[in-house]
Amino acid sequence: MTASGEVTQALLDLDGSGGEAAEKLLPLVYDELRRLADHYFRDEPAGQTLQPTALVHEVYMRLAGSSTPVQCTSRAQFFAVAAQAMRHLLIDHARRRRAARRGGDRRKHSLDDVLEPATYRDEYLVALDDALTDLEAVDRQLSRVIELRFFGGLTVEETAQVMGVSPITVKRRWRLAKGWLHRQIVQGR
Amino acid sequence: MKTDRWDRIRELFEEACELGPAERREFLADACGDDDHLRVEVESILAAGEQTPDLLDEPAVNAFPELFDPHRSEALVGRRVGAYELVKLLACGGMGAVYLARRADDEYDQTVAIKLIKHRIATDETLRRFRAERQTLASLEHPNIARLLDGGVAPDGVPFFVMEFVDGVSIDRYCDEHLLSTHDRLRLFQCVCSAVSYAHQKLIVHRDLKPSNILVTPQGVPKLLDFGIAKVLETSTNGQSGDRTATAQRVMTPEYASPEQIRAEPVTTAADVYSLGVVLFELLTGHRPYRLRNRLPHEIARTICEQDPPRPSTAVGRVEEVATGDPTTRITLTPWSVSRTREGRPERLRRSLRGDLDEIILKALRKEPSRRYGSVEQFSQDIRCHLEGLPVAARRGSARYRAAKFLRRNRTRVFVAVIVTLSLMGGLVATTWQGWLARESSRKTHAEARKVERTNAFLTRMLASVDPGAATGPHGAVRLMLDEAAGSIEAGALAGQPEVEASVRTSIGMTYLRLGRLDEAGEHLAMALDIRRRVLGDEHALVAEGLNNMGLLARATGDTDAAETYYRESLRRRRELLGADSAEYAETLNNLGVLLRTTGCLESALECLRDALEIRHRVLQGWERETAAGSRVTLAALADVATTTVNLAAALKNTGAFDQALALYREAAVHLRATLGPEHYRVAVCLNNQALLLADTGRYEEAEDLYRESLAIRRTVFGDEHLAVATGLKNLALLLTTMGRYEEAEPLYREALDLGRRLPGSTLALATTMNNLADLLASWQRCDEAAPLARAALEIRRGRDPNHPRLASSLLVLGRSLAECGDAAGAQPLLRESLSLYGRRQPVNHLKIARAQSELGGCLIDLDRFEEAEELLLESFSRVRDGGVRHPVLSRETRTRIINLYDAWGRPDAAAPYLDMEGHL
């Protein structure tokens, strides 16, 4: 089966059984995102701000656009999976850079590490990822809001659509999740 | 955490959010009651949520701008990689970022470029492969390739390359900034090709050629970056997974990638040919062959693998909007905008591309690798052909194009080649090419004219199929032309048109004959004659022509009897059918005369040649009356007159009528100059023959002038590297030797010898030079040098023909060389054989015989055979003195030998008269 065929199949499965299909889909979406990121990395001119939604949309198009039409719900679920993939991608990137900074060049850079914004950001993201994993255990719906909005780049409305709730609910959950995570990060350190 | 407790926290949190800070505290205290833990829980979440700055408020991707915006990716500046410190981000590519770096260990100051690769190396196996590839790449040393200095894997698994830092701009920018013309862009591009070709020879494919990988320094030197790195990454970062497509897509740039790369098929050097094609397309037109609407895989595949690229000359007419380096501006390409930095005006630009360059580029851009250029070298070669006005291989399919191009360039060359070949191979005999042209174009009837027209059209097409690059020299081109033409006749190109076929076969056969390829000549000439006999009947002018040609062939193969029969058969028909005053009759008469001269029937020969000359003069006068002065037919007729004049001169010379011969040579030279221009090979040959005659009659000074003139023409016509020049040198040197000017002669021989050794197909001529030089050296008693040269010459001649006419000369020189070295016993049999050969030769050449007698006589003195020596020497002496031939050198030599003889014999009285002879020779 071709890559996009697999995706379509996984998306169709998603309608029925959920979890298992999402696991199949994730690596495919992840790969696609990486490829796409590489592409932007390579060709996009300076200063172009990338809309994460656009990125995810494009992944969607690339993976599923050409073949079987996919129903609306699976489309929504796709975004959920894509956001999850994005999370993996970005966190992975942050972890690698963090590891690299702590590698062979420690002596030279140890003093500057804390002050560098990029360093702070990477540390934050890694911590956030840990906290988010904790939050999943507490409240899956809260962690999904974070994934969709923060990693997937979806708007409140889009998130509401994907989750099948009202925008108000999304806003409430967003607020709670943020508070919970930040507390967790601060406490966890 | 229990679910209902979390639900409670959630409820409280949500309600508290709607309240102000003061109310919140009150609300929570109220709601939680004595459950402090619950209150603290909600309060702490609320407090954390208020925290600023809040990184969650911005989408996460914005936290990694360097992932999406290369220009902000300077995080690694200041880091150390290997022995280098990263100084500045230079660029980002598909594979990673390139930094300017400086050597950090203070060993020495060195600025380099370091490329950090994004993909980590995971296993030992891939690491090993990476190192091996890096080794290969480091071996690339070419002025147009940025050197790979080092490479390795950083501790975090990131592979990196250390490369020569190139301070330059991408090739497209360079060309635009310098307003380079199409011509200059092609020249620059050829440098790029040479670099790629060099790498291909080392079996390294670039795989990612694009303008940004080709930088041009301020000095105008192009430098290729990232050679083979794409391959390294493919093999080393993607070792075990089967995900070839992903890697391929990751590494290449779709706009420049070949269809096979898009399809993730095996990549060969043909992929680089394709990418170079795209680069050249863009350099010359300002447009890319394809614009991708988006980067969906199927869109890329459809466009690159299926869509036909436009012709470059068409593409320059397009108007399209393209992205630039600056995202806020998109520029619009128009015919004017792309022309401004190139040829100035759209029409000029279009014209510079139309035709050759269209085809060259499209050939490089073929979808199927096998239909592209076989190598970058061939690609570049075709560009060279275009620049030099030669036919380009990309357009080989078009017969009309090749005909036009080949003839435009080679009309003169082919013409001259045939004339020259004629002179070289056939002596100064037979029909000339010009004569052929003149006759063909002056055919009377309309039907004939049409046949000739078709014949010429056919020949023109055949000329067009010659690849001038494939054959060197005019002979090679002509030969190829003939083989091509012959091949297509055999393939039935002229089936159903027997008369045309016969005519073409005649042309082909005659040219083969001039080239000395007698088997092929015979095949075509005989076939032509057969066809004509069959179609036209036996008594026909064209059959007579065929017979005449067969006579020429028979003479060339040495079958003089057959030649005479053919000529006489032809002669009768031509006289009866065309008249005894026709040019055709004179032609055959001329040929018969030449034949009879070589078979020794001098009287008959003279008769034929005189008649032929007379008729040819009348034909010439006829044309002079009927056409404008200098018309082609007049010139052709004049050339015929010159030919027969020369032949008659040669025959007269054989009969000893030197003065008449000389007068005719002079006349011929004038005619030839008038028809062919003052500097033509045939003029040189005529002067040469004249000089030869002058030298034979002892008029050395006059001969010297003519030889020098002949040599000068040869150098002008052929350049310094040509056998005809070697012949001129040799002849002049021989004359100088005869005049005793050895010091002047030796360097000329040496030059001729060098030429002969360098140029192919000159063995026999080389033997002559060797022999003559040996003779000269022997006169100086430089026997050690002379004997080996003489022996080599003898071997060559014997090897070619056991009865070679010049064996006598070789034997003489070798014998003489040995005798001068004191080996009289060894010399004696050689000199005897030489003398015997000279004695048997017709017509008798007294000088040669006298010389052989003199040498043998001298040799016999050393062997104490005085009587025999005396007889030979005295006969030699009187032969020179009484023969009316002045040869001071030989006379002096013989006189010295006579004096030596009587001295050795103890008869000083007999020597006395010779001692008094000083000054009278």
Side-chain angles (χ1 to χ4, degrees):
Chain A
M1 207 188 290
T2 63
S4 75
E6 275 176 61
V7 172
T8 310
Q9 191 54 50
L11 285 171
L12 291 172
D13 290 350
L14 219 54
D15 276 344
S17 57
E20 219 182 283
E23 283 209 6
K24 257 197 269 172
L25 187 58
L26 189 60
L28 296 169
V29 175
Y30 179 73
D31 268 356
E32 201 52 40
L33 272 172
R34 278 199 62 154
R35 201 171 296 157
L36 214 56
D38 287 348
H39 152 58
Y40 277 100
F41 184 32
R42 174 167 54 220
D43 281 331
E44 226 36 47
Q48 191 105 330
T49 23
L50 177 76
Q51 294 304 316
T53 332
L55 186 65
V56 172
H57 270 279
E58 200 171 337
V59 173
Y60 180 75
M61 292 291 292
R62 290 178 66 156
L63 286 173
S66 55
S67 42
T68 331
V70 178
Q71 286 171 3
C72 191
T73 40
S74 60
R75 189 179 137 79
Q77 282 176 335
F78 171 80
F79 282 111
V81 176
Q84 220 181 316
M86 193 78 124
R87 173 181 164 193
H88 280 273
L89 175 73
L90 297 176
I91 297 299
D92 184 44
H93 184 67
R95 280 191 201 278
R96 265 191 285 142
R97 287 210 320 200
R98 198 161 145 265
R101 254 195 298 280
R102 294 180 168 192
D105 297 308
R106 181 186 285 272
R107 256 173 313 146
K108 193 169 171 65
H109 290 282
S110 56
L111 284 178
D112 302 334
D113 275 355
V114 188
L115 303 173
E116 205 183 318
T119 310
Y120 174 65
R121 202 181 49 213
D122 289 344
E123 295 293 336
Y124 173 79
L125 282 172
V126 172
L128 177 73
D129 184 52
D130 291 339
L132 198 59
T133 308
D134 294 343
L135 181 59
E136 264 167 43
V138 175
D139 192 333
R140 175 89 185 106
Q141 288 192 313
L142 288 196
S143 69
R144 279 191 73 200
V145 172
I146 296 293
E147 269 181 358
L148 288 170
R149 292 208 57 201
F150 180 65
F151 288 107
L154 300 193
T155 62
V156 171
E157 283 71 26
E158 286 167 333
T159 311
Q161 210 189 343
V162 169
M163 294 186 76
V165 296
S166 71
I168 305 275
T169 307
V170 171
K171 280 183 190 165
R172 280 197 194 125
R173 286 178 183 173
W174 173 248
R175 225 159 26 195
L176 176 58
K178 247 170 44 171
W180 194 93
L181 289 169
H182 281 167
R183 192 195 59 171
Q184 187 75 359
I185 289 167
V186 173
Q187 281 179 358
R189 295 298 113 182
Chain B
M1 203 178 286
K2 281 166 70 185
T3 312
D4 48 356
R5 183 168 174 85
W6 172 245
D7 284 344
R8 182 80 184 124
I9 292 172
R10 226 164 98 168
E11 264 171 48
L12 292 174
F13 178 85
E14 279 170 14
E15 282 184 46
C17 275
E18 310 300 322
L19 307 166
E23 289 157 314
R24 259 184 213 171
R25 196 167 301 128
E26 202 176 319
F27 164 75
L28 285 177
D30 193 22
C32 296
D34 54 0
D35 192 344
D36 275 352
H37 198 263
L38 178 66
R39 187 177 48 82
V40 169
E41 186 85 20
V42 177
E43 272 178 353
S44 67
I45 295 173
L46 278 168
E50 309 290 319
Q51 221 179 357
T52 51
D54 189 351
L55 289 176
L56 287 176
D57 280 343
E58 267 220 276
V61 283
N62 294 356
F64 295 93
E66 76 279 7
L67 252 183
F68 309 102
D69 178 3
H71 294 267
R72 273 186 274 158
S73 168
E74 300 204 317
L76 297 176
V77 165
R79 271 195 62 185
R80 215 179 134 148
V81 174
Y84 302 89
E85 184 181 309
L86 305 183
V87 175
K88 193 179 132 194
L89 180 74
L90 291 173
C92 286
M95 301 171 262
V98 184
Y99 288 85
L100 182 70
R102 203 179 293 126
R103 220 173 151 93
D105 57 9
D106 293 333
E107 282 282 315
Y108 44 93
D109 200 27
Q110 189 189 17
T111 303
V112 297
I114 290 191
K115 180 158 210 145
L116 294 174
I117 307 300
K118 287 196 307 182
H119 309 289
R120 280 182 296 173
I121 287 188
T123 66
D124 287 349
E125 167 62 15
T126 54
L127 183 63
R128 195 190 56 72
R129 247 187 307 207
F130 171 77
R131 292 203 168 121
E133 290 284 351
R134 191 195 66 200
Q135 253 349 88
T136 315
L137 296 182
S139 72
L140 284 180
E141 276 186 69
H142 189 278
N144 300 116
I145 297 178
R147 291 250 7 226
L148 180 71
L149 302 167
D150 195 4
V153 180
D156 54 1
V158 173
F160 65 90
F161 295 99
V162 182
M163 295 174 295
E164 173 191 348
F165 170 62
V166 179
D167 181 19
V169 298
S170 64
I171 190 167
D172 51 340
R173 231 182 94 189
Y174 178 90
C175 289
D176 286 351
E177 282 174 1
H178 290 78
L179 304 176
L180 294 191
S181 65
T182 297
H183 180 273
D184 292 343
R185 284 170 195 245
L186 288 170
R187 288 272 181 228
L188 193 63
F189 182 77
Q190 284 191 296
C191 292
V192 175
C193 287
S194 86
V196 178
S197 185
Y198 162 83
H200 285 180
Q201 281 163 22
K202 298 206 145 204
L203 304 177
I204 298 172
V205 182
H206 192 295
R207 290 165 179 251
D208 195 20
L209 286 164
K210 53 187 172 184
S212 61
N213 270 339
I214 306 168
L215 299 188
V216 183
T217 69
Q219 292 76 41
V221 180
K223 291 262 189 186
L224 270 69
L225 309 181
D226 289 356
F227 229 108
I229 286 179
K231 165 79 179 311
V232 176
L233 294 179
E234 248 174 69
T235 51
S236 39
T237 63
N238 201 39
Q240 61 277 53
S241 92
D243 187 17
R244 284 228 326 258
T245 317
T247 317
Q249 288 196 357
R250 189 159 60 227
V251 168
M252 76 202 177
T253 316
E255 275 85 350
Y256 299 92
S258 59
E260 64 267 27
Q261 281 172 297
I262 297 286
R263 288 192 292 256
E265 288 166 5
V267 167
T268 66
T269 53
D272 280 355
V273 171
Y274 179 92
S275 299
L276 283 173
V278 181
V279 170
L280 185 60
F281 192 111
E282 194 172 358
L283 284 182
L284 297 188
T285 67
H287 298 263
R288 287 180 187 168
Y290 310 106
R291 288 286 166 194
L292 296 170
R293 279 178 301 174
N294 57 51
R295 287 168 185 277
L296 302 180
H298 64 271
E299 165 73 9
I300 295 175
R302 191 192 59 78
T303 311
I304 308 288
C305 303
E306 289 164 28
Q307 196 176 305
D308 281 332
R311 301 178 81 77
S313 62
T314 310
V316 294
R318 284 200 308 216
V319 175
E320 68 180 337
E321 208 178 66
V322 295
T324 63
D326 178 0
T328 58
T329 43
R330 288 173 72 79
I331 57 162
T332 304
L333 296 178
T334 67
W336 277 99
S337 75
V338 296
S339 302
R340 202 165 296 131
T341 50
R342 290 176 174 81
E343 292 289 301
R345 302 172 60 86
E347 195 36 53
R348 281 191 56 149
L349 178 58
R350 230 190 316 274
R351 213 172 329 126
S352 77
L353 301 175
R354 195 183 294 142
D356 282 0
L357 291 174
D358 277 344
E359 299 302 329
I360 288 175
I361 290 173
L362 291 180
K363 187 172 169 70
L365 291 181
R366 297 261 193 273
K367 306 292 183 201
E368 309 85 342
S370 59
R371 289 184 59 215
R372 291 173 208 149
Y373 286 105
S375 67
V376 173
E377 176 61 33
Q378 285 175 18
F379 186 9
S380 180
Q381 173 71 17
D382 228 11
I383 293 172
R384 192 181 67 85
C385 286
H386 164 72
L387 290 172
E388 293 180 2
L390 292 163
V392 301
R395 302 181 74 183
R396 185 161 284 156
S398 156
R400 182 191 280 181
Y401 158 77
R402 291 184 55 76
K405 194 126 188 171
F406 184 87
L407 283 182
R408 194 160 60 235
R409 261 186 66 82
N410 296 299
R411 191 169 289 138
T412 328
R413 185 187 285 186
V414 169
F415 189 78
V416 168
V418 174
I419 297 289
V420 165
T421 316
L422 171 71
S423 322
L424 283 174
M425 308 302 298
L428 301 169
V429 201
T431 41
T432 64
W433 186 253
Q434 285 166 308
W436 183 82
L437 283 177
R439 270 194 308 286
E440 295 298 298
S441 62
S442 65
R443 294 276 189 219
K444 283 135 203 129
T445 68
H446 185 65
E448 286 273 7
R450 279 196 43 204
K451 263 179 226 159
V452 171
E453 229 173 70
R454 273 154 75 190
T455 309
N456 282 337
F458 176 81
L459 278 176
T460 305
R461 259 205 317 282
M462 288 306 112
L463 275 173
S465 63
V466 176
D467 183 0
T472 51
H475 294 197
V478 171
R479 223 166 262 169
L480 260 176
M481 172 196 86
L482 293 172
D483 293 346
E484 281 284 323
S488 48
I489 291 186
E490 298 309 334
L494 294 172
Q497 306 169 76
E499 284 171 74
V500 179
E501 182 181 338
S503 172
V504 172
R505 280 190 190 274
T506 300
S507 296
I508 292 171
M510 289 305 288
T511 314
Y512 271 132
L513 178 60
R514 286 162 203 149
L515 291 171
R517 281 171 58 175
L518 303 181
D519 289 349
E520 287 95 334
E523 185 188 321
H524 287 283
L525 293 177
M527 189 83 87
L529 182 58
D530 278 357
I531 293 172
R532 284 175 172 174
R533 275 195 161 126
R534 182 158 43 80
V535 177
L536 306 167
D538 201 43
E539 294 297 311
H540 192 281
L542 288 175
V543 171
E545 185 198 77
L547 289 165
N548 174 72
N549 295 343
M550 289 301 286
L552 289 170
L553 175 73
R555 186 191 158 229
T557 56
D559 189 351
T560 49
D561 290 347
E564 192 173 340
T565 309
Y566 279 125
Y567 285 147
R568 293 199 185 279
E569 286 278 303
S570 173
L571 215 50
R572 179 185 62 75
R573 285 177 179 77
R574 285 188 154 176
R575 190 180 55 235
E576 287 170 7
L577 296 165
L578 303 166
D581 54 354
S582 67
E584 287 82 356
Y585 179 67
E587 179 194 6
T588 307
L589 212 47
N590 172 77
N591 295 345
L592 181 59
V594 171
L595 178 73
L596 294 172
R597 176 175 81 85
T598 52
T599 54
C601 310
L602 288 178
E603 286 312 312
S604 312
L606 284 175
E607 197 183 323
C608 287
L609 290 168
R610 283 200 178 105
D611 287 352
L613 186 59
E614 205 187 313
I615 300 166
R616 284 187 157 178
H617 268 298
R618 277 204 301 274
V619 170
L620 174 64
Q621 285 157 13
W623 284 121
E624 279 170 346
R625 271 197 308 276
E626 285 174 36
T627 64
S631 72
R632 210 172 60 178
V633 279
T634 314
L635 290 178
L638 185 58
D640 286 346
V641 167
T643 301
T644 304
T645 309
V646 166
N647 293 338
L648 181 57
L652 285 167
K653 183 186 157 191
N654 286 152
T655 62
F658 294 145
D659 290 342
Q660 287 183 56
L662 208 53
L664 286 172
Y665 275 130
R666 289 215 176 95
E667 205 184 309
V670 172
H671 293 330
L672 288 172
R673 282 195 162 109
T675 44
L676 305 168
E679 292 193 328
H680 191 281
Y681 181 64
R682 280 194 68 190
V683 176
V685 171
C686 185
L687 293 174
N688 188 76
N689 292 347
Q690 210 177 323
L692 205 59
L693 185 57
L694 287 166
D696 281 354
T697 53
R699 294 159 70 173
Y700 300 121
E701 289 75 14
E702 288 169 76
E704 185 187 345
D705 288 347
L706 291 177
Y707 272 139
R708 288 196 188 276
E709 205 181 330
S710 175
L711 180 60
I713 295 174
R714 287 162 202 259
R715 286 197 199 269
T716 312
V717 174
F718 298 111
D720 287 338
E721 289 278 315
H722 197 281
L723 277 181
V725 173
T727 307
L729 287 163
K730 192 183 64 191
N731 290 348
L732 178 58
L734 181 62
L735 177 72
L736 293 170
T737 310
T738 313
M739 295 166 82
R741 288 155 65 181
Y742 301 147
E743 294 83 357
E744 291 171 69
E746 191 188 349
L748 297 175
Y749 275 137
R750 297 271 178 208
E751 191 185 340
L753 200 59
D754 279 354
L755 272 175
R757 286 187 169 135
R758 266 204 305 281
L759 301 169
S762 61
T763 329
L764 279 178
L766 185 64
T768 308
T769 309
M770 285 172 154
N771 196 55
N772 292 1
L773 180 57
D775 197 10
L776 174 67
L777 293 168
S779 307
W780 273 336
Q781 274 88 45
R782 284 159 68 179
C783 314
D784 293 349
E785 294 169 71
L789 276 171
R791 192 164 275 127
L794 180 63
E795 298 299 313
I796 291 173
R797 286 171 172 172
R798 267 220 178 101
R800 192 59 67 91
D801 177 4
N803 297 312
H804 194 279
R806 288 189 173 159
L807 280 184
S809 167
S810 276
L811 290 163
L812 178 83
V813 172
L814 182 55
R816 183 173 173 232
S817 301
L818 295 175
E820 296 284 356
C821 291
D823 182 9
Q828 196 210 159
L830 297 170
L831 292 172
R832 278 194 197 282
E833 193 186 343
S834 171
L835 179 58
S836 130
L837 286 174
Y838 276 132
R840 269 182 278 151
R841 187 183 290 176
Q842 284 297 327
V844 175
N845 187 324
H846 293 287
L847 260 185
K848 305 260 175 178
I849 294 175
R851 176 132 196 255
Q853 288 174 328
S854 178
E855 294 294 342
L856 180 57
C859 172
L860 292 171
I861 302 171
D862 293 342
L863 297 170
D864 296 338
R865 297 168 68 164
F866 301 132
E867 279 102 352
E868 204 184 342
E870 182 186 33
E871 190 186 332
L872 285 165
L873 289 172
L874 293 182
E875 196 189 328
S876 168
F877 194 74
S878 58
R879 203 183 272 268
V880 176
R881 193 189 49 199
D882 304 337
V885 182
R886 193 163 70 98
H887 199 304
V889 175
L890 180 54
S891 297
R892 212 175 294 137
E893 268 180 18
T894 310
R895 169 181 161 261
T896 310
R897 286 190 177 119
I898 292 171
I899 295 167
N900 288 344
L901 166 71
Y902 290 129
D903 192 31
W905 207 348
R907 293 173 53 191
D909 52 316
Y914 295 94
L915 284 168
D916 293 340
M917 229 176 255
E918 189 72 56
H920 294 282
L921 289 170

